[in-house]
Amino acid sequence: MTDPTTGEHPADRHDLIRVQGSRVNNLQDVSVEIPKRRLSVFTGVSGSGKSSLVFGTIAAESQRMINETYSTFVQGFMPSLARPDVDHIEGITTAILVDQERMGANARSTVGTATDANAMLRVLFSRIGDPFIGPPTAFAFNVPTRRASGVMTSATGEKQVVRDAVYLGGMCAGCEGRGTVSDLDLTAIIDESRSLVDGAILVPGYTADGWMVAPYKEVVPPDVPIRDLTAEQRETLLHSEPQKVKVDKINITFEGLIPKIRKSMFSKDVDSLQPHVRAFVERAAVFAACSACDGTRLNEAARSSRVAGRGIAEVCAMQITDAAAWARGVTDASVAPLVRNLLHLFDSFVEIGLGYLSLDRPAGTLSGGEAQRTKMIRHLGSALTDVTYVFDEPTIGLHPHDIERMNNLLLELRDKGNTVLVVEHKPETIRIADHVVDLGPGAGTGGGTICFEGDVEALRGSDTLTGRHLSYHAALRSEVRARTGVLEIRGASTHNLRDVDVDVPLGVLCVVTGVAGSGKSSLIHGSVAGRDGVVVIDQSGIKGSRRSNPATYTGLLEPIRKSFAKANGVKPALFSANSEGACESCKGNGMIYTELGFMETVATLCDECGGKRFQASVLELRLGGLNIADVLDLPVAEAYAFFASGEAKTPAAASILQRMDDVGLGYLRLGQPLNTLSGGERQRLKLAMRMGEKGGVYVLDEPTTGLHLADVDNLLRLLDRLVESGKSVIVIEHHQAVMAHADWIIDIGPGAGHDGGTVVFEGSPADLVADGSTLTGQHLAAYVGEG
């Protein structure tokens, strides 16, 4: 019913998302109003509370309320979501999260299966493939061909006798649709020149005089070199079935070495193994392309069918830009709607800057930024409107040239009538916002408040940290440092690299840049990582549980425990919440987690320890006036002052804390659960840990990820300190401030995929700007020109 005075319908008045009194993580009773059907960008330093407000409050409550609409039975199969700590939220719509979580590293998941491209191709080949093979499942590498005989009963109870019925699938029998087969490198397991008593078995724990090797000495001659054993003795040693043997009059089960270590080591999660065992497993496991299918995952029948001169395996192996060109050549009218949808999908890949990928690329190998953009493709053609899209730094991993296209896609989603919420640091994306919410002023307990709300122009005029840095541009380095040597790369051909020869300068800050997919990571990780003295800090995630924290992850807790033990004359194990000192009620968690079956898990503060995680007797033991719980509650900066001098002086702890403070984590509490840290905090925590390693060359992969504009300055100062201390620093980066600050730039391109893979420029930033022939040079020239 329309209001007669204003002519407005009551339903049109709900144009705001209102949050009142949010206290999620470090938010301090935050209240905010966000316009619907607009693009809102949330800014602030890392740890200021952006993700807590957008993901932890708005998106979490939206998902929780949607889940509650399902039946209790269905909810029992869904993840349980706790209600955010907020007084009131109104006006929220269905939230679709497009985050940086990497896609599941399931060996069977590829870019094609994750985006339905494979599903469409299977239908296409089953319809017009020549020769005709069978239904779509005949082209599916996850479906085996099966044969069945017996009585088949229909849904109506009708019975039918079938003899040798065949259900077609496309799975290669040799590798079971994985494309690779695993084997063990025998040279890493057995030293053929030695006998058992001389230590022929190289497996960790299998010492020559130990109990693990004793059974083998009973079944084969222990003093004969392995290469001199008979074929039968060798088979027994390596592959024998379980059997009983006597060792020192004790009956024990003997089993061949290979099946035994497969069960005890190679069948377990690699990350769960002890470091020395993990190193052995990685050394001994060999993965090679399946010879039966040449790594395509498909059986011979599926590979034989052709459409427009190509098999489905060939299309999946193509770069997506080439696959789109192939699809345009499919002119059969009977599949025209299918081809049209397939082309729309391929064009979306190209539009979003992922045209260099191939459909057979394993989903687990995509970077966080690539995974986020792949997920985004699902939503570009969606008919849904009036929903809330939530993005977590969508520009991560993007060259300035690609950011323009990403911005257009965000605006396209908004213009379809959706609310778009973006957590972002890049000024290029902040500038296109309709509304900006700036959180801060600091991080951790120093943040969690709203510093600014309004449009971009008002933000420029504000005195907030973001407002002051929005127009800031780093100047080109006036004087570049001289190299002390070079690291030669010759004939690099990993992935799309085209036999690249390049000299990476040492003793300076060298930035490797280029559009996404041009070959930067392939060049550095393929030709530099692994060399002696090279320390690589990449984008791989940190595994964090509610039990792990910065103190445990960095190794900081070890010297702290020893200091407490020495000061109090007790065992160090008492000062670990995961060992003897843990509160018995909550087992060192600090919280009691109650599983309620079909309802959500409830977490309550432990009554016995009050959330401190330790037994009362342990909390009475002190060092420098503080107990272990007090120390774990200290921010890094205060903990450094505590352990650097005085009664609690612990040099080993102080050096780790100094490095954490150097990378901008001075506000982080030592005992904060690792799974509550933001992406930027985790990246810098890893950098702080690796900085202590001895090595002359540091390789950093996009260290500005998750960093606020003001923090980039601190990062540049840290990189300068590393170089001035005698290190060589190689940075893979897109941020123009880092490029401008470099001593030397290597630009890879000119495009992505097979359009890249060559060095298009080598020289100083000033020379790159003067040259102006590459995309990077043009964007850097515009950047420093605005400064």
Side-chain angles (χ1 to χ4, degrees), residues 268-610:
K268 295 184 177 178
D269 179 13
V270 176
D271 292 327
S272 69
L273 300 173
Q274 291 177 288
H276 67 291
V277 179
R278 177 178 177 174
F280 164 73
V281 167
E282 291 174 343
R283 190 167 60 246
V286 178
F287 293 90
C290 173
S291 57
C293 65
D294 291 329
T296 63
R297 305 169 180 245
L298 293 163
N299 58 30
E300 188 175 355
R303 299 198 308 273
S304 67
S305 187
R306 291 278 188 275
V307 171
R310 299 283 188 176
I312 189 170
E314 293 174 77
V315 175
C316 289
M318 288 178 179
Q319 185 169 302
I320 287 173
T321 50
D322 295 338
W326 166 83
R328 287 187 172 87
V330 179
T331 55
D332 192 311
S334 66
V335 290
L338 182 60
V339 172
R340 193 161 53 246
N341 287 339
L342 193 60
L343 274 171
H344 175 74
L345 179 65
F346 288 159
D347 290 341
S348 296
F349 268 105
V350 176
E351 189 178 4
I352 211 164
L354 293 177
Y356 59 88
L357 295 179
S358 61
L359 296 179
D360 64 0
R361 169 94 172 257
T365 65
L366 299 181
S367 69
E370 287 171 334
Q372 185 176 32
R373 297 198 293 282
T374 300
K375 294 174 197 171
M376 189 176 177
I377 285 170
R378 300 176 196 163
H379 308 299
L380 291 178
S382 172
L384 288 172
T385 60
D386 242 334
V387 297
T388 299
Y389 285 100
V390 184
F391 291 92
D392 187 7
E393 295 187 58
T395 60
I396 279 180
L398 287 183
H399 188 272
H401 176 70
D402 298 315
I403 290 177
E404 294 175 14
R405 290 193 289 189
M406 174 58 74
N407 285 347
N408 290 335
L409 293 171
L410 294 173
L411 294 171
E412 184 183 315
L413 280 174
R414 177 203 65 185
D415 294 344
K416 284 173 63 178
N418 298 305
T419 304
V420 182
L421 309 181
V422 183
V423 174
E424 189 54 86
H425 293 294
K426 294 280 175 66
E428 296 95 329
T429 300
I430 296 173
R431 287 186 195 119
I432 67 166
D434 301 307
H435 186 73
V436 179
V437 178
D438 190 24
L439 284 100
T445 54
T449 61
I450 303 290
C451 298
F452 172 84
E453 291 179 77
D455 60 22
V456 178
E457 283 309 309
L459 176 65
R460 287 183 196 279
S462 71
D463 195 35
T464 67
L465 197 61
T466 305
R468 292 196 299 272
H469 283 80
L470 193 59
S471 300
Y472 167 77
H473 290 269
L476 290 173
R477 182 180 283 281
S478 56
E479 205 172 302
V480 296
R481 288 170 284 226
R483 65 179 68 183
T484 58
V486 295
L487 198 155
E488 292 185 355
I489 296 175
R490 296 291 179 265
S493 55
T494 306
H495 297 139
N496 66 327
L497 295 177
R498 302 185 189 179
D499 207 27
V500 170
D501 294 340
V502 66
D503 290 338
V504 180
L506 298 176
V508 298
L509 173 59
C510 175
V511 171
V512 181
T513 188
V515 297
S518 60
K520 306 179 298 299
S521 296
S522 299
L523 179 68
I524 300 304
H525 291 297
S527 300
V528 175
R531 298 194 186 189
D532 289 341
V534 175
V535 176
V536 179
I537 302 158
D538 59 17
Q539 296 180 41
S540 58
I542 296 174
K543 286 196 172 180
S545 71
R546 57 171 82 119
R547 280 192 174 276
S548 54
N549 52 51
T552 58
Y553 178 74
T554 59
L556 172 66
L557 192 58
E558 191 64 26
I560 290 177
R561 288 167 54 203
K562 287 179 179 176
S563 290
F564 265 94
K566 186 177 179 181
N568 293 280
V570 294
K571 292 189 296 185
L574 284 174
F575 302 99
S576 170
N578 298 325
S579 188
E580 293 180 26
C583 167
E584 292 178 0
S585 291
C586 62
K587 309 301 181 191
N589 266 317
M591 306 288 286
I592 303 289
Y593 294 92
T594 310
E595 303 285 345
L596 297 175
F598 55 84
M599 295 177 67
E600 62 190 38
T601 300
V602 176
T604 54
L605 199 68
C606 175
D607 288 333
E608 188 166 329
C609 67

Side-chain angles (χ1 to χ4, degrees), residues 131-179:
F132 173 75
I133 299 301
T137 55
F139 297 92
F141 55 74
N142 287 330
V143 180
T145 295
R146 292 157 294 170
R147 294 179 181 275
S149 297
V151 179
M152 184 166 63
T153 307
S154 70
T156 59
E158 180 186 347
K159 293 186 177 181
Q160 179 185 357
V161 177
V162 295
R163 298 185 188 281
D164 206 25
V166 178
Y167 300 92
L168 289 173
M171 177 185 288
C172 167
C175 61
E176 296 184 339
R178 293 176 181 269

Side-chain angles (χ1 to χ4, degrees), residues 101-120:
E101 286 298 317
R102 292 178 184 242
M103 292 189 176
N106 187 318
R108 297 187 177 281
S109 179
T110 66
V111 171
T113 60
T115 58
D116 291 336
N118 272 37
M120 286 190 270

